[in-house]
């Protein structure tokens, strides 16, 4: 470029906050260099240079640091974090006419293609080639200086830089408000009292929703939610099934079922509870980000005509967000709890990741807010995490048990899921590239649980059909202890058993044929069901239903009404 207007020539080196696949976190020099900023020769047409004044630490930033990935977005090299920022324009490309040097701006952290269908229809959050700052491999905003398209920089006037940076999480909540259709007088449930949940609470209050109940597992968060919005009803989530949790939530509403549930955690058990609590024809709107695959009470959604809707980022929200803050409709200042200098970014991240600090948002040159996902809590809180996850799994499988699965199989499921999840969590700390391994483990948890249940039900048929009792726990313990001490004995026993069976089969073909001919209809039908299950024709629920048709009656819970 030939010319740029510069308010002052910056003298400090450009530094950024980096992470990598090894989960290191450090401060180092970043692009653009201070020399290029002084000369303005790196600006492309349509771009401006912003001196960043305030940046928030989002939960995704902590997650990229700790886990090395979010779904398919994987840290594969040195990567700069941060996407909630505001600052001052210090240089503009000659082609830019909408902004000038000295303007105070908030940054919408994306660059879209302007060619795909989502872009052309105004829903650019679905852009197929979007470059979202801080999402690997696109560098984030936790730097001193950033070059960014002027199109995505919004003037904030006299608004504080802290509030300007908070426009990003506010945009997340606004996108949910626009699509959820919350109206005056609607009873609304907000699940999760983290940063997004708290801002969503403020938006629901401003929209005229009443009553509003906000839930969380942490008493401290709920206390803070009450300070932010005194009229809100707080509800602490206890360990129980999703259905029982929903009954407790409705009780907190005074017996009113919410018309809309704004789910801000992405946690499976929380989504399930929201579905059970919502009224007929209501809506569960999921803002939170969760695992790649989740289970939910499908038939509850179906029979109650509940709309289950999801959100991905935001679009066209910054102007609306600016108006709400400028006019005092939404007050974000209470959410700022800690402030750090850019040079103290490492400490800021530790504060944001540690729930004991009570951090919601910390600001100044850099800001920290507590991450909403349990995956980023520190080692000191690991035991509490594990308990929560096991509880969530228990709630999930308890609801499945009430659809026809036995109490034995529903108890086995959470144990297997919890064990596999523990392994996956350990693997995720080894390195960013192990994220693919973690995803593989998580994707196979449902399969392991599924066939464990099938095995339990088939075992019941065998024992009941032969009027046998299952072996005692002591028998299993003794058996596996012997195998552990002498694994070769198992192979020898199997070999001997196979040889004896083959010999007997060869000697008694007529006897076997006679047994097959004398099978009862119920036995043939049960065998057919098992064969169909092995071929993949039925789900577990359908399979158990067919067992009942042919005369098998397992243990079932009372039906839902």
């Amino acid at each position: 470029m030939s010319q740029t207007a510069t308010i002052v020539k910056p003298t400090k080196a450009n530094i950024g906050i980096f992470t990598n696949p090894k989960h290191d976190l450090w401060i180092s020099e970043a692009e653009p260099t201070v020399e290029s900023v002084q000369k303005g020769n790196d600006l492309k047409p349509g771009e401006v240079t912003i001196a960043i004044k305030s940046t928030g630490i989002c939960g995704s930033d902590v997650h990229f640091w700790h886990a090395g990935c979010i779904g398919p977005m994987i840290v594969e090299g040195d990567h700069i974090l941060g996407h909630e920022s505001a600052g001052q324009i210090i240089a503009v490309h000659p082609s830019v006419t909408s902004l000038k040097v000295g303007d105070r701006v908030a940054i919408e952290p994306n660059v879209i293609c302007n060619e795909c269908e989502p872009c052309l229809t105004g829903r650019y959050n679905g852009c197929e080639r979007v470059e979202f700052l801080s999402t690997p491999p696109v560098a984030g905003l936790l730097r001193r200086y950033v070059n960014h398209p002027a199109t995505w920089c919004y003037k904030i006037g006299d608004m504080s830089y802290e509030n300007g940076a908070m426009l990003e999480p506010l945009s997340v909540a606004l996108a949910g408000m626009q699509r959820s259709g919350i109206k005056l007088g609607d009873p609304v449930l907000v699940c999760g009292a983290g940063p997004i949940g708290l801002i969503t609470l403020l938006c629901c209050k401003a929209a005229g929703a009443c009553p509003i109940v906000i839930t969380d597992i942490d008493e401290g968060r709920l206390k803070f939610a009450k300070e932010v919005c005194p009229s809100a009803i707080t509800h602490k989530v206890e360990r129980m099934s999703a259905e029982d949790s929903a009954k407790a939530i409705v009780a907190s509403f005074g017996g009113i079922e919410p018309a809309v549930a704004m789910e801000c955690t992405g946690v499976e058990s929380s989504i399930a509870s929201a579905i059970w609590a919502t009224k007929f024809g209501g809506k569960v709107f999921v803002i939170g980000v969760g695992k790649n695959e989740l289970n939910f009470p499908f038939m509850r959604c179906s029979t109650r005509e509940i709309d289950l809707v999801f959100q991905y980022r935001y679009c066209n929200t910054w102007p609306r967000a600016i108006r709400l803050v400028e006019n005092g409709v939404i007050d974000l200042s209470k959410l700022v709890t800690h402030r750090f200098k850019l040079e103290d970014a490492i400490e800021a991240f530790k504060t944001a990741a540690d729930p004991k600090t009570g951090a919601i948002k910390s600001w100044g040159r850099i800001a920290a807010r507590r991450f909403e996902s349990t995956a980023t809590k520190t080692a000191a809180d690991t035991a509490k995490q594990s308990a929560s996850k096991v509880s969530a799994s228990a709630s999930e499988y308890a609801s499945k048990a009430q659809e026809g699965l036995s109490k034995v199989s529903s108890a086995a499921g959470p144990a297997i899921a919890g064990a596999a999840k523990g392994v996956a969590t350990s693997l995720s700390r080894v390195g960013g590239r192990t994220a693919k391994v973690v995803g593989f483990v998580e994707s196979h948890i449902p399969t392991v649980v599924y066939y464990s249940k099938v095995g339990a039900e088939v075992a019941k048929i065998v024992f009941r059909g032969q009027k046998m009792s299952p072996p005692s726990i002591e028998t299993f313990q003794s058996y596996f202890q012997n195998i552990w001490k002498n694994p070769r004995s198992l192979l020898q026993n199997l070999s001997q058993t196979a040889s004896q069976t083959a010999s007997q089969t060869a000697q008694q073909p007529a006897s076997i044929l006679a047994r097959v001919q004398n099978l009862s209809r119920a036995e043939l039908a049960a065998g057919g069901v098992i064969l169909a299950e092995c071929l993949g024709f039925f789900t577990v629920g359908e399979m158990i239903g067919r067992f009942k048709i042919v005369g098998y009656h397992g243990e079932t819970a009372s039906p839902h009404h």
Side-chain angles (χ1 to χ4, degrees):
M1 60 174 288
S2 58
Q3 293 181 329
T4 56
T6 307
I7 187 169
V8 290
K9 290 199 173 185
T11 56
K12 289 186 177 181
N14 192 12
I15 58 174
I17 289 75
F18 291 78
T19 189
N20 61 16
K22 296 180 180 179
H23 310 300
D24 298 322
L25 190 69
W26 74 97
I27 300 172
S28 184
E29 290 192 10
E31 296 291 334
T33 65
V34 65
E35 293 78 16
S36 65
V37 172
Q38 290 171 346
K39 296 176 182 177
N41 54 10
D42 279 352
L43 282 176
K44 300 175 183 177
E47 284 189 341
V48 296
T49 301
I50 308 110
I52 302 298
K53 300 297 185 180
S54 187
T55 299
I57 298 177
C58 177
S60 62
D61 296 317
V62 181
H63 202 62
F64 279 131
W65 167 35
H66 279 183
C69 70
I70 296 179
M73 298 169 283
I74 302 172
V75 176
E76 296 183 334
D78 293 352
H79 179 62
I80 299 177
L81 300 165
H83 60 266
E84 303 176 0
S85 296
Q88 186 178 43
I89 303 293
I90 59 173
V92 297
H93 188 276
S95 61
V96 175
T97 58
S98 58
L99 295 172
K100 65 182 184 301
V101 169
D103 282 342
R104 299 158 59 89
V105 296
I107 303 170
E108 184 170 357
N110 52 220
V111 181
I112 62 175
C113 73
N114 277 312
E115 295 178 353
C116 65
E117 181 178 346
C119 286
L120 296 177
T121 55
R123 298 185 65 178
Y124 57 81
N125 54 316
C127 176
E128 299 166 4
R129 297 190 293 277
V130 66
E131 294 181 3
F132 194 89
L133 277 64
S134 82
T135 297
V138 184
L141 291 171
L142 270 170
R143 292 176 272 174
R144 275 208 177 99
Y145 318 115
V146 174
N147 294 338
H148 198 61
T151 302
W152 304 111
C153 297
Y154 300 87
K155 295 179 183 179
I156 58 173
D158 295 332
M159 182 188 300
S160 71
Y161 288 121
E162 288 181 358
N163 279 346
M166 287 283 280
L167 294 176
E168 199 279 341
L170 175 56
S171 287
V172 174
L174 286 182
M177 294 296 295
Q178 289 176 243
R179 292 185 55 221
S180 64
I182 291 175
K183 301 182 295 295
L184 279 167
D186 276 348
V188 173
L189 170 65
V190 179
C191 301
I196 299 299
L198 291 172
I199 297 176
T200 300
L201 171 65
L202 294 175
C203 290
C204 290
K205 173 66 177 175
C210 62
I212 307 172
V213 171
I214 185 167
T215 68
D216 204 282
I217 60 174
D218 187 275
E219 198 71 58
R221 284 185 173 185
L222 292 175
K223 182 179 179 181
F224 189 82
K226 194 72 174 176
E227 294 174 4
V228 170
C229 183
S231 63
I233 301 168
T234 58
H235 177 91
K236 188 174 185 296
V237 177
E238 304 292 349
R239 297 181 187 178
M240 59 181 71
S241 70
E243 185 177 2
D244 288 340
S245 179
K247 291 178 181 177
I249 289 170
V250 172
S252 292
F253 271 101
I256 301 172
E257 293 178 330
V260 181
M262 302 296 283
E263 212 299 311
C264 302
T265 72
V267 175
E268 187 172 294
S269 58
S270 180
I271 296 173
S273 297
I275 291 172
W276 279 103
T278 302
K279 75 172 188 178
F280 183 92
K283 180 179 293 185
V284 175
F285 194 93
V286 183
I287 299 176
V289 177
K291 298 186 299 184
N292 286 341
E293 295 184 8
L294 296 172
N295 294 306
F296 70 95
F298 174 85
M299 285 308 300
R300 178 69 173 183
C301 274
S302 176
T303 58
R304 299 269 288 184
E305 291 191 358
I306 293 171
D307 294 338
L308 183 59
V309 187
F310 298 87
Q311 174 178 327
Y312 184 60
R313 293 176 180 159
Y314 38 69
C315 63
N316 305 307
T317 52
W318 252 257
R320 184 188 299 263
I322 291 170
R323 291 194 297 270
L324 289 171
V325 175
E326 282 182 336
N327 289 281
V329 178
I330 300 293
D331 181 9
L332 302 172
S333 60
K334 291 182 180 180
L335 301 181
V336 180
T337 56
H338 294 69
R339 293 172 175 82
F340 298 85
K341 294 181 179 180
L342 183 61
E343 294 83 355
D344 299 327
I346 307 301
E347 186 62 29
F349 266 84
K350 291 178 180 179
T351 301
D354 187 354
K356 293 182 179 180
T357 65
I360 297 296
K361 271 288 185 186
S362 309
W363 298 91
R365 282 290 301 179
I366 183 173
R369 79 179 190 211
R370 178 166 52 181
F371 184 32
E372 295 174 67
S373 169
T374 54
T376 61
K377 291 186 179 180
T378 56
D381 208 39
T382 300
K384 186 176 179 179
Q385 289 181 43
S386 301
S388 298
K389 291 177 183 177
V390 171
S391 175
S393 297
S395 298
E396 169 195 348
Y397 289 105
S399 64
K400 287 187 176 180
Q402 294 182 7
E403 297 173 5
L405 298 176
S406 71
K407 295 178 181 177
V408 174
S409 60
S410 65
I416 297 170
K421 185 64 179 177
V423 174
T425 302
S426 298
L427 285 173
S428 70
R429 298 175 184 274
V430 176
R433 294 182 183 276
T434 60
K436 295 180 181 178
V437 177
V438 176
F440 176 82
V441 172
E442 287 187 345
S443 67
H444 284 73
I445 290 174
T447 305
V448 174
V449 175
Y450 178 84
Y451 283 105
S452 297
K453 293 179 179 179
V454 173
E457 296 298 340
V458 172
K460 284 184 180 181
I461 295 173
V462 173
F463 284 116
R464 293 184 184 186
Q466 300 297 323
K467 297 182 179 180
M468 297 167 58
S469 298
S472 65
I473 295 177
E474 290 76 12
T475 301
F476 278 110
Q477 289 176 336
S478 176
Y479 181 74
F480 284 111
Q481 285 173 356
N482 291 333
I483 293 175
W484 182 262
K485 293 178 181 178
N486 188 11
R488 291 185 178 181
S489 64
L490 174 63
L491 297 176
Q492 292 173 354
N493 292 337
L494 289 175
S495 178
Q496 292 174 2
T497 303
S499 299
Q500 293 173 2
T501 302
S503 176
Q504 293 174 359
T505 302
Q507 295 173 5
Q508 301 177 346
S511 175
I512 294 173
L513 181 61
R515 290 181 183 179
V516 172
Q517 291 175 341
N518 291 329
L519 288 174
S520 67
R521 289 184 178 180
E523 290 172 328
L524 286 172
V529 170
I530 295 172
L531 176 62
E533 162 58 26
C534 293
L535 294 176
F537 290 140
F538 301 143
T539 64
V540 172
E542 293 170 327
M543 180 179 176
I544 305 310
R546 285 162 176 71
F547 283 148
K548 292 180 180 180
I549 291 173
V550 301
Y552 167 69
H553 299 282
E555 300 175 11
T556 60
S558 59
H560 303 306
H561 297 288

